[in-house]
Amino acid sequence: MAFPRDAIGPDEDVALHRHPHWKMLVLPALTALVVTALAGFLAGVAERTTEGTARTVAIAAVGVAWAAVVVLRTVVPVMRWRTTHFVVTDRRVIVRQGVLAHHGTDIPLARIANVQFRHGLIDRLLRTGTLVVVAGSDDPLEFDDVPDVERVHSLLYHHVVTDADDRPDEGFEPRRVVR
């Protein structure tokens, strides 16, 4: 699912659009492989050790259990990943999430006071991390698994500084430092 263009204003330019990093799909993919192998093994055991209706019930039970685990542990996380959007425009940061129930956060660039990122060794190797945005007096907002987090941090910081430079300085007189 692409990010809905109707969420963007007519004269608003998208500078960046990302989904969370693919690393959050590794565990669901491994789960699908392991559960499929286990279901195949159990279906084979049921085929050899049971007869008639018991065989049919056992194989059906394995199939239902396999489908339930694959849907809950693989399909749902993939859909969650696919419907999560992190967007930076020339005016705001937009985060949208949700498959059935949607929720989102919009942060105007003018309200952003601080932008930080952090990542550990594995995140550095995978070029991902957590982006922390402090907007005004609100608590910091943390966005996990942002791909290429250092570049996103730099881009967002550039947009915040550029936006601050374009705003009029209402009653602000810079002090001149004399050495």
Side-chain angles (χ1 to χ4, degrees):
M1 160 193 272
F3 183 74
R5 289 296 304 171
D6 60 350
I8 304 295
D11 55 344
E12 194 171 9
D13 294 323
V14 175
L16 176 93
H17 175 212
R18 296 272 196 268
H19 293 284
H21 195 270
W22 57 263
K23 81 174 188 175
M24 65 183 298
L25 299 176
V26 170
L27 188 58
L30 289 175
T31 300
L33 289 172
V34 169
V35 168
T36 300
L38 183 61
F41 173 76
L42 292 175
V45 168
E47 178 75 28
R48 277 195 227 117
T49 59
T50 57
E51 295 179 7
T53 305
R55 176 184 294 167
T56 305
V57 169
I59 292 174
V62 168
V64 167
W66 172 83
V69 171
V70 167
V71 166
L72 291 175
R73 297 293 184 178
T74 302
V75 174
V76 169
V78 168
M79 292 301 296
R80 189 175 299 129
W81 174 85
R82 187 74 180 118
T83 58
T84 299
H85 302 273
F86 182 83
V87 180
V88 177
T89 72
D90 58 343
R91 294 186 184 171
R92 59 191 167 144
V93 175
I94 304 166
V95 178
R96 296 286 187 267
Q97 301 174 350
V99 178
L100 298 175
H102 296 249
H103 62 281
T105 303
D106 289 17
I107 307 168
L109 293 181
R111 292 210 47 220
I112 294 177
N114 191 354
V115 182
Q116 305 169 10
F117 72 91
R118 66 175 176 263
H119 51 175
L121 179 62
I122 300 298
D123 285 343
R124 287 182 70 186
L125 291 172
L126 295 175
R127 298 183 58 177
T128 185
T130 299
L131 187 71
V132 181
V133 177
V134 179
S137 63
D138 297 336
D139 289 334
L141 299 170
E142 294 189 8
F143 305 106
D144 296 324
D145 298 324
V146 175
D148 208 5
V149 71
E150 289 184 53
R151 182 176 167 272
V152 174
H153 169 267
S154 177
L155 175 76
L156 188 54
Y157 181 77
H158 172 74
H159 276 289
V160 168
V161 169
T162 302
D163 185 54
D165 290 344
D166 291 343
R167 278 185 257 140
D169 296 331
E170 299 161 1
F172 176 72
E173 286 290 324
R175 290 189 306 174
R176 193 168 239 188
V177 177
V178 180
R179 291 188 190 215

